[in-house]
Amino acid sequence: MIKSPRGTRDLLPPDTALWNFVETTARDVFRAYNFHEIRTPIFESTELFARGVGEETDIVVKEMFTWEDRGRAESDKGQSLTLRPENTAGVVRAYIEHKMWDRGLSKLFYIGPQFRRERPQKGRYRQFYQIGAEVIGPAASGSTSPARDAEILELLATLLDRVGITNWNLELNSVGCPADRARFNEALKQALAPVVDQMCDDCKRRAVTNPLRVFDCKVAADQPIIETLPTVNQFLDNECRDHYEAVKAILKAVRIPFVESPRLVRGLDYYTRTAFEFTHGSLGAQNAILGGGRYDGLSEALGGPAAPGIGFAIGEDRLVLSLSASAESVTRKPDAYIAPLGSGMNREAAIVARELRRHDLIIDLGDESFRLKKSFEAADKIGAKFMIIVGENEVAAAAFAVKHLASGTQETVAREGLAERLLRG
Ligand code: HAM
């Protein structure tokens, strides 16, 4: 038997109803905040992620699905391509490629699969789905304002609330600007020098190349050492500190609870200033339901103009895992099952079904070869509310037998009143 590849999953009904519920709710919320959808390719040049996400990040070092293109055209040959491990770099690439700065502030959202070669476990997959958003534009469009950071966080609280997730924790930090980070990295190097020999091989490498990434270490034995290291928020300059204070002040005003988490640096290199994660207790080890932050230098790192931005990505798989709603509770059952009775009745049943479906009714159809008993069983199995019998006599009389399946009561309903009867439930 051929199975789906390790770390991938098939999403089947009825569970897909939960995914649709989450995505529909997200689209509604994005609309209310005036965000518009962007769709970027599922694979991009490998270089985009190396430069965007960062050469020393776990994502780029260990987790990307990368291949060399075998295209015949000279321009394709040997090009290194990668399945997107995240979507921010792709969105900023598109922003630059299409000169989107002409539009002022771009408020974009996306929903789609991402790929990371991680060790699969509950809440961690090699193909997973993100619902994300990015706010990006020239500084003159207001993109650097702490109001944008706070609005993103408030949007997230609203979205989680709408899907019925209430007991989340917002962890907040500021990772400062490049100048702050240079001073922080120096301090980190000094603090690491006497202890790095006792740390894992990854940390030994990070200590030299990009000390901040030591905070990504998951090795239990290294954690007591990491606890003693200086934290980035001790190195913020006045502007970064004021920005951070302004974000927190708005959050307090709109009553979004948060906890400050000085060791939160996030696993991607592009972050500046605000960084955040929402966690949820029910998820176990993979408890980050979403993450995000500001990336004021990313556009320039990718060869574009200055275009500060902030965004987030929700792990949709994890969001669905933390829902208390059941798939059944968000699935609308069929309003009626139509049972064509006797030869030639498939045609008549198709006409009736077509009429009813115009009224936003969910209609399922049987087959004229079924005996009445089999039709009842089929209607029962799909949980239809009514069964409508379409036989020769009914068509001639323009009135149908409509059976309410739960109570067993049956009535005769004229053809023109059929939709209205079903809509009454
Ligand atoms: P990230 O923290 O790498 O950030 O991923 C965001 C979320 O995606 C995580 O919090 C988690 O819920 C989910 N996620 C990540 N890896 C997996 C996996 N292997 N299986 C299941 N879920 C996963 C980003 O991707 C940034 N692009 C977010 C961002 C947008 N920052 C600014 N704008």
Side-chain angles (χ1 to χ4, degrees):
M1 185 178 45
I2 301 175
K3 291 191 174 168
S4 77
R6 190 165 133 78
T8 69
R9 332 184 264 164
D10 300 308
L11 304 172
L12 307 176
D15 292 347
T16 39
L18 282 175
W19 290 71
N20 281 320
F21 160 67
V22 165
E23 290 172 17
T24 306
T25 309
R27 285 175 189 278
D28 287 347
V29 170
F30 286 134
R31 190 179 329 106
Y33 288 75
N34 196 31
F35 280 70
H36 297 277
E37 185 170 6
I38 182 167
R39 298 189 190 197
T40 62
I42 281 175
F43 60 90
E44 299 264 6
S45 292
T46 304
E47 190 193 352
L48 173 67
F49 303 113
R51 278 167 61 184
V53 175
E55 298 272 13
E56 277 304 322
T57 56
D58 280 354
I59 295 178
V60 171
V61 174
K62 307 177 190 169
E63 297 170 1
M64 296 203 301
F65 288 96
T66 297
W67 71 98
E68 205 168 278
D69 195 38
R70 298 187 294 204
R72 293 234 181 91
E74 264 322 302
S75 56
D76 296 347
K77 228 175 242 166
Q79 195 193 357
S80 181
L81 298 170
T82 292
L83 289 180
R84 63 184 188 194
E86 62 100 53
N87 214 0
T88 309
V91 168
V92 175
R93 184 214 29 81
Y95 175 88
I96 298 167
E97 191 169 333
H98 303 286
K99 301 189 171 42
M100 288 174 73
W101 47 87
D102 288 342
R103 308 169 183 216
L105 191 67
S106 291
K107 297 169 74 174
L108 306 165
F109 77 88
Y110 48 83
I111 300 177
Q114 320 291 335
F115 305 85
R116 297 183 192 176
R117 190 184 277 105
E118 295 196 78
R119 200 167 45 76
Q121 63 181 82
K122 182 186 168 204
R124 191 162 73 190
Y125 311 98
R126 291 183 167 185
Q127 173 170 341
F128 60 100
Y129 294 80
Q130 285 186 340
I131 300 176
E134 314 292 349
V135 178
I136 176 168
S141 68
S143 59
T144 56
S145 168
R148 300 288 74 76
D149 308 46
E151 188 182 25
I152 282 280
L153 292 163
E154 193 266 327
L155 177 159
L156 283 164
T158 301
L159 176 46
L160 293 179
D161 187 46
R162 290 257 190 105
V163 296
I165 295 177
T166 45
N167 45 345
W168 43 262
N169 295 304
L170 163 54
E171 298 185 14
L172 191 64
N173 196 16
S174 173
V175 295
C177 54
D180 303 340
R181 273 258 272 292
R183 282 182 280 123
F184 176 51
N185 270 332
E186 256 333 291
L188 263 185
K189 273 188 183 158
Q190 281 180 23
L192 283 166
V195 289
V196 73
D197 281 351
Q198 304 154 42
M199 299 181 82
C200 70
D201 286 346
D202 280 341
C203 282
K204 288 193 181 94
R205 194 191 70 240
R206 291 164 174 148
V208 181
T209 53
N210 190 350
L212 182 87
R213 298 268 64 97
V214 164
F215 288 97
D216 299 338
C217 178
K218 303 280 182 306
V219 176
D222 287 3
Q223 298 311 309
I225 299 175
I226 292 168
E227 287 293 312
T228 66
L229 297 174
T231 56
V232 63
N233 58 351
Q234 298 161 342
F235 294 82
L236 302 186
D237 63 18
N238 287 340
E239 269 185 67
C240 289
R241 193 171 297 282
D242 289 350
H243 192 276
Y244 189 36
E245 292 304 321
V247 174
K248 289 189 284 183
I250 303 174
L251 288 180
K252 284 181 187 149
V254 293
R255 296 178 198 283
I256 305 295
F258 61 88
V259 289
E260 292 187 62
S261 190
R263 271 168 232 283
L264 178 77
V265 296
R266 309 268 302 123
L268 305 91
D269 274 349
Y270 49 62
Y271 290 112
T272 53
R273 296 191 168 173
T274 308
F276 57 84
E277 281 180 358
F278 281 65
T279 57
H280 192 267
S282 75
L283 286 169
Q286 304 305 317
N287 68 350
I289 222 172
L290 68 93
R294 189 164 264 294
Y295 44 83
D296 290 344
L298 179 55
S299 171
E300 285 150 295
L302 295 176
I310 177 160
F312 66 83
I314 300 172
E316 193 177 355
D317 305 71
R318 295 185 192 175
L319 187 67
V320 169
L321 275 174
S322 15
L323 290 180
S324 50
S326 66
E328 283 68 29
S329 71
V330 295
T331 306
R332 214 179 113 192
K333 292 269 198 264
D335 296 291
Y337 179 88
I338 298 183
L341 196 64
S343 98
M345 286 301 116
N346 274 346
R347 268 169 291 167
E348 298 299 335
I351 298 169
V352 176
R354 188 167 159 82
E355 285 166 12
L356 294 176
R357 286 176 181 140
R358 288 203 189 107
H359 293 84
D360 189 35
L361 288 160
I362 303 178
I363 305 295
D364 217 333
L365 258 179
D367 184 77
E368 62 189 29
S369 70
F370 293 0
R371 304 212 169 202
L372 212 45
K373 182 165 176 283
K374 184 164 172 182
S375 290
F376 272 120
E377 283 165 6
D380 240 9
K381 191 155 194 171
I382 60 165
K385 189 169 240 176
F386 294 99
M387 186 163 106
I388 304 169
I389 297 162
V390 177
E392 218 167 311
N393 296 340
E394 284 82 359
V395 173
F400 301 98
V402 176
K403 186 152 188 149
H404 186 260
L405 289 165
S407 64
T409 53
Q410 185 166 321
E411 57 196 294
T412 305
V413 182
R415 186 168 197 143
E416 66 270 14
L418 202 51
E420 197 201 320
R421 174 67 196 90
L422 297 186
L423 286 167
R424 258 191 288 129

